[in-house]
Amino acid sequence: MMKIEILPSLLAADLGNLKDGILRVAESGADALHLDIMDGHFVPNLSFAPDTSALCRKVLPAGFPINTHLMMTNPDKYALTFIEKGSTTIQYHLEMRDLVDIRALAEAIHAKGMRVGLALNPDMPAEVALPFIDYADEILCMTVFPGYGGQAFIESVLPKITQLRKAAPTIDIMVDGGVNFETAERAARAGANQFVAGSFLFKQTDMKAAVTELRQRCEQAFSACII
Ligand code: DX5
Ligand code: ZN
C-alpha cells in the first residue's frame, strides 16, 4: 500500500495573514505544504515568489516538506533558487518539454537531494509523460487548468491516473485542483495517492479534522483501487 499524503495549498490562505496560514498547515497533520508559483505566462495569474518559500521554511517546523509547484515557462531558471529558499520538492510542467530540458532539470534537483515532480495539465495525455517517468519521484495530474484556486474537479482526468498507475505501480501520483472528500475518493480509486487541496481545506474551521477524514477516505478508496 502506497503512503497517502495530504497537501494543503497555501494559495487558499488569507493573504493578509500568511504566517497564520502556514501555521494552520503545520498543525493540521498534513504531510507537506503545497506552494503554487505562477508566472503570468504559463498561467494567466501571478502568485508567490521564492521569498514565500523562505517564509514557509522559517515558520514551519524543521524538516516539514515544502512541495513547490512551478507553473512557469522557465522553471529551470528558478528551481535551484526555490531549493535554496527551503523547497523540498520541485514540480514543473511537461507542457514546456520543447523549451526546458526535463531530464537535466530533474538531475539538477536530484543533485541537491530534493524531489522531482512532473506535472501534466488536464488535456495532456499519459503517453507524453511515459518517456520521462523514470526521472520523476511523483507525477502531478492537474484536475483543473492551473491558474486559479476554487475551480471544479475535471472528472475526465481519472482514466489518465489509472493509466499512469498501471505504467508505474510504485510512483507517487498527485492530484491538484477541485479536491474535496468526494473527488479525492474518486481520484484515489483511480490510483492517486497524494492530494492537494486549497479552498476545501482552508475553508474548514477545523483543518486538522478535515485532513484526518480526507486521509482516511483516501486510504480506504486507494485500497479499493481499480487496477
Ligand atoms: C491551481 C493550483 C492549485 C490550487 C488548488 O492553479 O495549482 O494548487 O491551489 O486550489 P483548489 O484546491 O481550491 O482547487
Ligand atoms: Zn498546485
Side-chain angles (χ1 to χ4, degrees), residues 143 152-155 158 175 177-189 195 214 218:
T143 41
F153 185 90
I154 300 174
E155 298 281 336
L158 294 176
V175 286
V179 169
N180 57 37
F181 287 147
E182 288 75 29
T183 56
E185 280 178 337
R186 291 202 282 280
R189 210 168 294 126
F195 304 84
L214 188 55
C218 289

Side-chain angles (χ1 to χ4, degrees), residues 123-193:
D123 58 358
M124 170 75 78
E127 285 74 18
V128 176
L130 295 177
F132 300 105
I133 220 160
D134 288 343
Y135 311 147
D137 301 292
E138 62 199 40
I139 302 290
L140 174 60
C141 289
M142 292 305 300
T143 41
V144 298
F145 283 92
Y148 300 92
Q151 303 182 75
F153 185 90
I154 300 174
E155 298 281 336
S156 59
V157 177
L158 294 176
K160 177 169 72 183
I161 294 169
T162 304
Q163 204 181 338
L164 288 165
R165 173 57 70 216
K166 282 182 178 154
T170 60
I171 203 166
D172 285 314
I173 300 180
M174 185 179 297
V175 286
D176 180 11
V179 169
N180 57 37
F181 287 147
E182 288 75 29
T183 56
E185 280 178 337
R186 291 202 282 280
R189 210 168 294 126
N193 67 299

Side-chain angles (χ1 to χ4, degrees), residues 9 11 34-38 67 69 71 91 140 142 146 176-177 196:
S9 168
L11 195 63
H34 183 79
L35 182 63
D36 283 307
I37 306 298
M38 303 182 186
N67 178 268
H69 178 193
M71 288 165 269
Q91 301 178 319
L140 174 60
M142 292 305 300
D176 180 11
V196 174

